[in-house]
Amino acid sequence: MAAQAAAGLLFALGAVAPGAAQEFGVYLNCAGRVEAGGKVRASQLDLALRRNSALAMIQRSDILPAGQKLRLEITPQFYTMVFDAPRAGSVIWHDWLRGALLVWNPDLHKLHTIRMSVDRQTAALQGELRDGAGREIGRLQMRCEPRDNDTVAAPKF
């Protein structure tokens, strides 16, 4: 009886033991430009991709909110992601509204989604900025420098 209880306890402890954490494995440091309403602006976007759970995270950007998580779709040719603009009236929206992208071009207040794809062979990022009706109101064009866990710089605290 005691042996069964001990085995049950070990099994229960093993079931709640922390597993290996999923890590980001691909890092894309992208630089290029945003085009909207006849205006062009230099921009940068750093993404971390977690391929095993189809997650992308904005690490740093001057046009999109850092820390934003995106669903990652992977095909043999592309990594694709969709950024949904924050809801009007939310705290994130008010902070983002004062950001570089919307101050630079007020027409982008209509922005609803940004669809981005990164070519896995050339590391070129292309994106479409769309309004709520699905009309294109701008474009992203960037070159990315891919890195992995062995080549990315460690965080400095």
Side-chain angles (χ1 to χ4, degrees):
M1 187 68 158
Q4 289 176 338
L9 180 61
L10 286 175
F11 177 76
L13 289 174
V16 297
Q22 294 181 4
E23 294 184 4
F24 291 97
V26 175
Y27 304 89
L28 299 172
N29 299 337
C30 307
R33 62 190 199 170
V34 177
E35 302 171 3
K39 297 180 182 181
V40 177
R41 180 185 192 280
S43 61
Q44 58 85 24
L45 172 64
D46 293 351
L47 297 165
L49 309 180
R50 187 181 287 163
R51 292 179 291 191
N52 59 351
S53 63
L55 176 70
M57 185 178 70
I58 300 169
Q59 289 189 290
R60 181 177 66 113
S61 179
D62 60 354
I63 56 172
L64 298 174
Q68 183 74 38
K69 294 178 183 175
L70 311 170
R71 173 126 176 93
L72 174 66
E73 297 291 333
I74 302 171
T75 68
Q77 187 67 32
F78 296 101
Y79 292 124
T80 60
M81 297 145 277
V82 176
F83 169 78
D84 292 315
R87 299 265 185 243
S90 71
V91 172
I92 296 170
W93 186 77
H94 285 294
D95 289 342
W96 189 53
L97 187 63
R98 292 185 294 252
L101 184 64
L102 298 181
V103 170
W104 164 72
N105 190 333
D107 290 342
L108 294 177
H109 283 248
K110 300 177 221 163
L111 182 65
H112 192 263
T113 58
I114 299 175
R115 296 180 183 157
M116 300 176 278
S117 63
V118 179
D119 188 306
R120 294 179 67 184
Q121 303 303 313
T122 64
L125 183 145
Q126 300 288 321
E128 301 173 341
L129 288 75
R130 299 204 172 260
D131 66 10
R135 291 184 296 266
E136 184 176 301
I137 58 175
R139 297 198 57 76
L140 288 174
Q141 294 182 341
M142 298 185 176
R143 267 288 159 227
C144 301
E145 182 181 337
R147 303 223 182 244
D148 61 20
N149 286 326
D150 295 329
T151 59
V152 71
K156 309 288 189 239
F157 295 100

